[in-house]
Amino acid sequence: MACSFAPHLHSLPWSSPAKPLWPSLARPNCTASSSSNRTLDSLSISASLSSASVVHIDVETMNDTPSTLRELCKGHMPTTCSSGKAEEVGFITPTHVQRETLPVLFSGRDCVVHAQTGSGKTLAYLLLIFSVVNPQNSSVRRVDLPETTHIYNFDIPKKGHNRRTCNQIK
Ligand SMILES: Nc1ncnc2c1ncn2[C@@H]1O[C@H](COP(=O)(O)OP(=O)(O)OP(=O)(O)O)[C@@H](O)[C@H]1O
């Protein structure tokens, strides 16, 4: 697949906000994009390491990308948020968008994904969120992932309550 950078997607203007809202996630930028008039399989990824330098990642060279979500997430998920939960609800094979973006996200780069509706962007960024939640310290008790909606329900209990994290994916 040829990798072509969407000309209208440039490096994010990191002048705003002045400080990252979530410092632990302050990372160089990455832009993944696909033209909306292409097919689901048509995705290009560009990562900009600073506002001045742009690195293009040719997805054709990513031949060793794991073929299952479980393999893709291996080593990145807390045990309480195992990819087995995702498999239980039928998320076994990653979509093309997930296959291309998750390695970039897990590598620590910010990522803007521009791809067709229904291509699996939401699960990609939710899996990244799950990967950075610390079940030992977090007060997040549960993250619900309704299968087809766009509602992400972070059920945050009062301090001292049950601290299990990401242990339910509905
Ligand atoms: N790996 C997967 N395997 C099976 N089904 C999946 C997978 N990833 C996502 N889905 C399902 O595909 C549908 C579309 O996914 P999702 O909502 O994540 O797409 P999206 O790109 O975020 O769409 P939109 O642009 O409309 O927000 C949902 O019903 C979701 O549950």
Side-chain angles (χ1 to χ4, degrees), residues 40 69 86 89-98 113 115-127 145-150 152:
L40 275 185
L69 268 177
V89 293
F91 301 141
I92 298 168
T93 307
T95 66
H96 188 73
V97 164
Q98 291 155 6
V113 182
Q116 192 170 323
T117 186
S119 55
K121 300 181 294 292
T122 301
L123 186 62
Y125 77 72
L126 279 174
L127 288 172
L145 171 56
E147 224 179 59
T148 56
T149 73
H150 292 230
Y152 313 108

